[in-house]
Amino acid sequence: MFKKPMVVKHKRINPVNPDCETIILFSLFLCGIILGIFIIKNCDDDVKNALSTLLSNYITAKNECGFISCFSGVLVFLVIFVVISFLFGMCAVGTPFVWAVPVIFGVICSGYVSLMLINYGLKGLFYCILVDLLPYAITTATLVKCCCESTKLSVNLFCCIAGDNALRGRNLFKEYAINYLILCIPVIIGALISTFCFKIFQGLFIFA
């Protein structure tokens, strides 16, 4: 009696529901916010002093630079996270790393605000609200969308490697690059808003 040959069928791996994925990524960002506060609150005094010195130097340099230099510095900081998400999205196993990006961004944002509050009190908090709140909110929403795009491409690449021929005819990288170029627009707007707000309210905040 002959045995029937075994046929292995490749099952399509479906990505997470977009709405669910967005909620998860925003939740990861909030986890980063909480983690950043915890780190600043519990870090060693030497580390806290070193971070405070870096913050003071950053504020001093920002006060002394012109509009273009200030805008460029803010834009580079915000775009770094978009670029990291973009690069990890081009990896078939990059999804876990993509989902770590909003956590890291949340840690840095909350760490920055926590240090401003510790070093400069309510003045530092009001500075963050007037200058940084709206740009960071725009960047966070954009970054979450970027991570969704990266997760989608990463899962599709994994499916192609696993033998899903349905995706082989599509130019996935072209679609991916176009979507990211569009998503860079809100980040640029966020950097412009941050710079305008800083220049407008600069005289109200003298940090010694």
Side-chain angles (χ1 to χ4, degrees):
M1 184 177 182
F2 296 100
K3 293 183 179 180
K4 293 183 179 179
M6 182 181 294
V7 178
V8 179
K9 294 183 179 180
H10 296 287
K11 188 177 180 180
R12 177 84 167 96
I13 300 175
N14 295 317
V16 182
N17 180 278
D19 293 333
C20 182
E21 185 178 7
T22 300
I23 293 172
I24 292 172
L25 288 166
F26 266 117
S27 299
L28 290 172
F29 170 74
L30 294 177
C31 288
I33 292 286
I34 296 170
L35 182 59
I37 296 172
F38 178 82
I39 290 172
I40 295 299
K41 184 178 179 180
N42 295 279
C43 69
D44 186 80
D45 288 338
D46 292 336
V47 175
K48 194 176 295 184
N49 291 334
L51 291 173
S52 297
T53 301
L54 287 174
L55 177 63
S56 178
N57 293 337
Y58 165 73
I59 292 174
T60 301
K62 194 173 181 180
N63 284 326
E64 294 175 352
C65 68
F67 183 89
I68 299 298
S69 298
C70 184
F71 167 72
S72 300
V74 174
L75 182 62
V76 167
F77 167 71
L78 298 178
V79 165
I80 284 174
F81 298 94
V82 175
V83 172
I84 292 172
S85 174
F86 177 83
L87 294 176
F88 280 132
M90 293 190 293
C91 177
V93 291
T95 298
F97 303 101
V98 170
W99 285 28
V101 172
V103 178
I104 297 171
F105 185 66
V107 169
I108 293 175
C109 289
S110 63
Y112 163 70
V113 175
S114 297
L115 286 172
M116 289 291 290
L117 183 59
I118 290 171
N119 292 336
Y120 306 111
L122 289 177
K123 184 190 290 187
L125 181 61
F126 286 137
Y127 172 88
C128 293
I129 292 173
L130 290 174
V131 176
D132 298 317
L133 180 59
L134 181 57
Y136 281 13
I138 293 173
T139 303
T140 300
T142 305
L143 187 60
V144 166
K145 179 60 178 175
C146 288
C147 291
C148 289
E149 292 293 330
S150 296
T151 302
K152 179 182 176 181
L153 179 63
S154 180
V155 171
N156 284 338
L157 290 175
F158 186 86
C159 291
C160 287
I161 294 173
D164 189 346
N165 295 321
L167 297 169
R168 293 185 183 277
R170 292 174 54 187
N171 195 335
L172 298 176
F173 288 104
K174 182 179 179 180
E175 296 175 11
Y176 184 64
I178 291 173
N179 289 336
Y180 255 88
L181 284 174
I182 295 172
L183 288 170
C184 282
I185 296 174
V187 178
I188 295 172
I189 294 172
L192 280 172
I193 292 173
S194 178
T195 307
F196 273 118
C197 289
F198 174 74
K199 291 301 179 182
I200 291 170
F201 300 112
Q202 184 177 9
L204 299 178
F205 301 98
I206 305 300
F207 298 111

